[in-house]
Amino acid sequence: MEKFIFNSKTINYRSKGDGELIIFLPGNTASSIVYQPQIDFFSKYYLAVSVDYLGTGKSDRILDINENWWRFSARQVNALIKHLGYKKAIIVGSSGGSIVAMFLAADFPEKVSHLILDSFSVEFTNEVFENNVIKERSNPNDAQKQFWTYCHGNDWESIIKQDTKNIKRIVESGGYWLEEAPQKVKCPVLLLGSRKDNFIPNIEQDFKLLSSQISDCRFVLSNKGGHPLIWTNTAFFNDEVLNFLHF
């Protein structure tokens, strides 16, 4: 893996290819290693990159932060674009990575040429938190443990605990974790998801709302796959992204 320094901490990332920059932003509890198939595929067209945010994957661990974690992660991605020597990038967010991507496009609009957001909701309700986060993480099965170990290493439990704490803060503050970001996004935006996503029961309603808030935005929903679309209906996802980017 490659690395750079942000706020005196080391951030690791992986890359492949050359040309225009495309960055894949991991979702909650994931890391760059599980986006290697996307890096491999899109490196045929771009310099494809994915990153381990601070506190995840192979990057340095940090203490709890007193700010929005997704916005803090967006600042790290902005620093990564600068480190790579690019003025802007195509940004692809998956699940919770879509929130990081949204904040990046809102806070650093000059750095994002196109925004692709996959399988996420505009609001994190208490019902979703209890049924999909607490229920899943309170008694993880062997497959979940293996996934988190693969992503983060042997200290995965502390990372999942911190992520749960970050989400709980959002839920307790009303659940709307995008803040003012959608109205500030200026680049073209593609929203992708599955109508069969069990984590986001109102995905079509959410995407219609976002499409009305973002000036240049469209969405495509698949009748196949699950959560996230990027992993559960990969061919469809790849085709839609390339079509959006005019391939």
Side-chain angles (χ1 to χ4, degrees):
M1 293 187 73
E2 301 165 87
K3 61 185 67 177
F4 72 103
I5 303 299
F6 175 83
N7 286 3
S8 302
K9 296 287 187 178
T10 299
I11 294 178
N12 284 266
Y13 65 95
R14 57 190 73 233
S15 67
K16 185 177 181 180
D18 55 43
E20 193 175 354
L21 177 61
I22 185 168
I23 303 178
F24 292 86
L25 301 184
N28 291 60
T29 78
S31 72
S32 67
I33 194 170
V34 290
Y35 292 88
Q36 190 63 52
Q38 283 68 47
I39 292 173
D40 291 340
F41 177 83
F42 283 93
S43 67
K44 295 182 290 185
Y45 311 96
Y46 303 101
L47 171 59
V49 175
S50 189
V51 63
D52 292 345
Y53 315 119
L54 286 176
T56 72
K58 299 293 186 182
S59 292
D60 281 354
R61 301 305 187 235
I62 54 173
L63 299 175
D64 191 16
I65 59 170
N66 293 316
E67 64 176 291
N68 182 301
W69 183 86
W70 295 269
R71 199 160 221 152
F72 177 61
S73 298
R75 288 169 47 208
Q76 298 168 41
V77 180
N78 175 59
L80 173 61
I81 296 170
K82 182 178 180 180
H83 166 76
L84 291 168
Y86 283 76
K87 292 184 177 180
K88 59 177 59 180
I90 300 162
I91 301 296
V92 183
S94 174
S95 190
S98 294
I99 309 304
V100 178
M102 184 82 77
F103 280 126
L104 178 69
D107 294 346
F108 306 97
E110 73 283 0
K111 295 292 184 69
V112 182
S113 64
H114 297 77
L115 192 62
I116 298 113
L117 307 176
D118 167 40
S119 304
F120 74 106
S121 62
V122 300
E123 184 179 15
F124 217 112
T125 65
N126 188 68
E127 180 182 5
V128 172
F129 180 66
E130 291 294 334
N131 292 338
N132 292 341
V133 176
I134 297 299
K135 184 177 180 180
E136 176 189 78
R137 300 179 184 181
S138 59
N139 187 27
N141 58 38
D142 288 342
Q144 289 169 310
K145 293 177 183 178
Q146 290 170 5
F147 175 81
W148 288 329
T149 301
Y150 182 63
C151 286
H152 307 293
N154 292 331
D155 64 341
W156 65 266
E157 287 181 277
S158 63
I159 294 168
I160 305 309
K161 182 178 180 181
Q162 182 60 53
D163 184 72
T164 302
K165 186 176 180 180
N166 293 336
I167 296 174
K168 185 177 181 181
R169 285 175 178 161
I170 296 296
V171 173
E172 291 177 342
S173 65
Y176 188 75
W177 54 356
L178 296 177
E179 300 179 8
E180 79 296 344
Q183 293 82 359
K184 295 172 66 177
V185 173
K186 303 303 180 184
C187 65
V189 178
L190 173 65
L191 309 177
L192 290 172
S194 169
R195 290 187 173 89
K196 295 184 178 180
D197 190 325
N198 292 329
F199 283 85
I200 312 171
N202 300 315
I203 191 169
E204 186 163 6
Q205 178 180 326
D206 283 357
F207 280 8
K208 285 180 179 178
L209 174 62
L210 282 174
S211 296
S212 70
Q213 295 175 333
I214 299 172
S215 58
D216 185 358
C217 181
R218 65 186 180 92
F219 70 87
V220 180
L221 291 173
S222 171
N223 291 321
K224 298 180 180 180
H227 185 88
L229 185 72
I230 193 171
W231 292 343
T232 60
N233 195 352
T234 302
F236 177 90
F237 177 91
N238 291 346
D239 286 346
E240 290 297 331
V241 170
L242 291 177
N243 287 338
F244 176 62
L245 299 173
H246 309 299
F247 271 88

